[in-house]
Amino acid sequence: MTAPLVVAVTGSGQGIGLAVARRFAERGARVVVSDVDAARCQRAADEIGALAVPADVTDAAQCRQLVERTVAAHGRLDVMVCNAGIMQLKPFLELEAADWDRMLGVNAKGCFLSLQAAGRQMLQQAPLAAGRPRGKIITIASIAGRSGAGPIAAVTPHYRASKAAVLSLTQSAAIAFAPHLTVNAICPGLVESEMWRGIDRDWGALQGLGEGQFWQQRIASIPMGRPQQPEDVADLATMLAAPESDYMTGQAINVDGGLMMN
């Protein structure tokens, strides 16, 4: 009988991260929920029956502790989902160094530190099964890290740069850890979440739009005809953790309802 997967998800107190953690739990995995907000982390873990390990991904020691506590509780770490991230809208010429540092600190450095801590553990453990990798790492990037993005690009240069960095980091890690681990990125689109509600509010304030107007404009262009749900990302994450994707590494996969086709 195959042992349950051991899965840790950063930034999983809410939104996409919580949906990913919940989906893995529903499929029988032993899940570790991690979030910088300790209370939110514990609530999410209690909801899905997971272990709560609060962690600030910008701190290397806390990333190591997340992995260590996961292994202490479950014996190994099979899948790390590097999801923790933040968003901010601010006109290009109004951005300050502190804005840049915070965004790149969480989204790029945080992804690197959690990925690195997971990689160190996975490389020293036995494979998931004969002929399979020793572990799998999934980063959460964004279609914003690719080309385009329209007028909103002018107020999200630091966010877009951080997600482009995640894509590049994913490729570097895939090469560094092959053939023992796989490392792939998921690029969500317009996800109906707290983050996008904040974007709608802030962009609306900049453009003189009412609440929800910008969101409705954006989702009107989705070929699949509906806004994206966090569960759409979660389903792809579970696929990337499955044996069927063992030959995939270094890939950045759009899951956006057809907004960006490549």
Side-chain angles (χ1 to χ4, degrees), residues 55-232:
D56 179 351
V57 294
T58 67
D59 185 314
Q62 293 188 45
C63 289
R64 288 194 300 271
Q65 289 164 10
L66 167 59
V67 173
E68 288 167 1
R69 288 189 59 187
T70 299
V71 174
H74 300 303
R76 56 184 289 130
L77 173 61
D78 298 315
V79 180
M80 169 66 91
V81 183
C82 303
N83 166 77
I86 58 173
M87 175 58 148
Q88 180 192 35
L89 270 67
K90 198 169 186 180
F92 197 108
L93 295 180
E94 295 177 18
L95 277 176
E96 300 177 4
D99 298 317
W100 179 270
D101 290 345
R102 179 169 178 264
M103 185 67 66
L104 273 290
V106 176
N107 292 4
K109 177 184 173 184
C111 181
F112 164 71
L113 291 175
S114 53
L115 188 159
Q116 184 186 60
R120 284 176 172 149
Q121 165 60 33
M122 291 175 175
L123 287 170
Q124 66 182 2
Q125 65 192 20
L128 289 155
R132 297 200 62 207
R134 298 174 186 267
K136 295 193 165 195
I137 299 172
I138 301 166
T139 63
I140 305 298
S142 171
I143 61 171
R146 299 189 185 275
S147 60
I152 199 173
V155 293
T156 55
H158 50 336
Y159 177 77
R160 298 187 71 236
S162 74
K163 291 304 185 178
V166 170
L167 295 176
S168 180
L169 175 64
T170 299
Q171 295 170 356
S172 295
I175 293 171
F177 299 155
H180 305 294
L181 312 179
T182 67
V183 189
N184 292 290
I186 295 175
C187 299
L190 307 177
V191 183
E192 198 162 27
S193 62
E194 286 298 324
M195 179 178 285
W196 256 99
R197 281 186 279 275
I199 295 170
D200 174 78
R201 180 186 62 247
D202 294 345
W203 181 253
L206 289 170
Q207 299 296 313
L209 299 173
E211 183 178 348
Q213 282 186 275
F214 177 58
W215 174 248
Q216 292 301 320
Q217 290 172 5
R218 291 293 285 136
I219 65 174
S221 63
I222 299 174
M224 289 301 291
R226 65 167 175 85
Q228 184 172 0
Q229 299 303 313
E231 291 74 19
D232 295 315

